[in-house]
Amino acid sequence: MLISHATQAAPDARANEDCVVTGPDFAVVLDGATTARGVDTGCVHDVPWLVSRLGAELSRLLLTESLSLPDTLAASIEGVMKQHVDTCDLDNPDSPSSTVAIVRGRGDTVDYLVLSDSPVVLRDNVGAIEVVHDDRLDALPGYTAEIVRERRNTPGGFWVASNAPLAAHEALTGTVPRDQLDCVALFTDGASRLAERHGLSWADLIQLLDQVGPAAVIERVRHEDERVAGGNPGKVHDDATAVLCRFDAESASVSSAPA
Ligand SMILES: [Zn+2]
């Protein structure tokens, strides 16, 4: 698997609350939920702390164990909880949280996992696109702190990586034969908005990512964000992360290596 990635804080943000980790045969993308002002999270840590610890746990387990992706994520959430159970109230329903997107090659197959709104997009050898998008957050009746708190990690609500390892088993998952895949992309919503908000088709977004690379895709996002900023009621920019995992390039890069 040939992996390229880029992540960038929103131009007006103090810190990047996205995190990306890649290894020889895996890529992980996390998007920490920004804490609403005035909400007591019960946690002395900030969002970058949570996503970096979760990224580290996931990467450690992906490198050293051969668990299913939901089991990997459940153990990682548990591992992070252990790191602040002594200092923080992990029963607090507003405890910091993150989305999770994982792609992992294993032998002849490729596994993916999507928890909350960081989509994974697969393009097969004939150019067909499959978007794995967990849209349960979109189905909430509203986004007040009360509604989000009530519905978080609850059946019929939405699921995120935070203080409940069982959320990992609510993720969208799948396995695809490796030789049928051309490439797989992972995004946080700060980057996938090129398709979700700025009018590109998913196929065009993957094509762009493949042609210009992740950093140029994020540049394009910033440009489009600025262009529509006048009529946009939400925040103009968000932290943005894009990852491209290529499969056909494996054989090409080996055969083109100097003898
Ligand atoms: Zn904490």
Side-chain angles (χ1 to χ4, degrees), residues 43-45 49 84 87-88:
C43 177
V44 301
H45 304 99
W49 182 92
H84 62 151
T87 53
C88 307

Side-chain angles (χ1 to χ4, degrees), residues 114-253:
V114 173
L115 185 69
S116 198
D117 59 348
S118 292
V120 166
V121 185
L122 302 94
R123 185 170 73 183
D124 72 11
N125 285 329
V126 293
I129 299 283
E130 184 186 351
V131 181
V132 185
H133 189 207
D134 178 358
D135 56 6
R136 285 169 286 190
L137 196 54
D138 302 342
L140 294 190
Y143 298 96
T144 63
E146 290 72 29
I147 291 174
V148 170
R149 185 179 301 132
E150 269 171 24
R151 304 294 179 103
R152 193 177 92 156
N153 288 346
T154 306
F158 69 101
W159 300 86
V160 285
S162 178
N163 51 358
L166 60 85
H169 296 281
E170 302 293 334
L172 308 181
T173 57
T175 298
V176 183
R178 195 175 188 123
D179 60 7
Q180 287 178 13
L181 280 175
D182 174 47
C183 62
V184 179
L186 303 84
F187 301 100
T188 59
D189 63 344
S192 63
R193 58 172 58 186
L194 270 181
E196 291 164 332
R197 186 182 294 181
H198 296 319
L200 259 69
S201 68
W202 287 104
D204 286 345
L205 175 55
I206 301 309
Q207 184 71 11
L208 181 72
L209 180 62
D210 193 18
Q211 282 173 347
V212 303
V217 162
I218 292 175
E219 247 176 69
R220 170 79 177 266
V221 172
R222 301 305 182 213
H223 176 77
E224 294 294 323
D225 285 347
E226 290 293 341
R227 198 174 59 78
V228 301
N232 187 346
K235 56 182 174 178
V236 175
H237 298 293
D238 196 358
D239 304 334
T241 302
V243 181
L244 179 68
C245 308
R246 287 215 61 95
F247 296 92
D248 64 335
E250 292 171 299
S251 49
S253 61

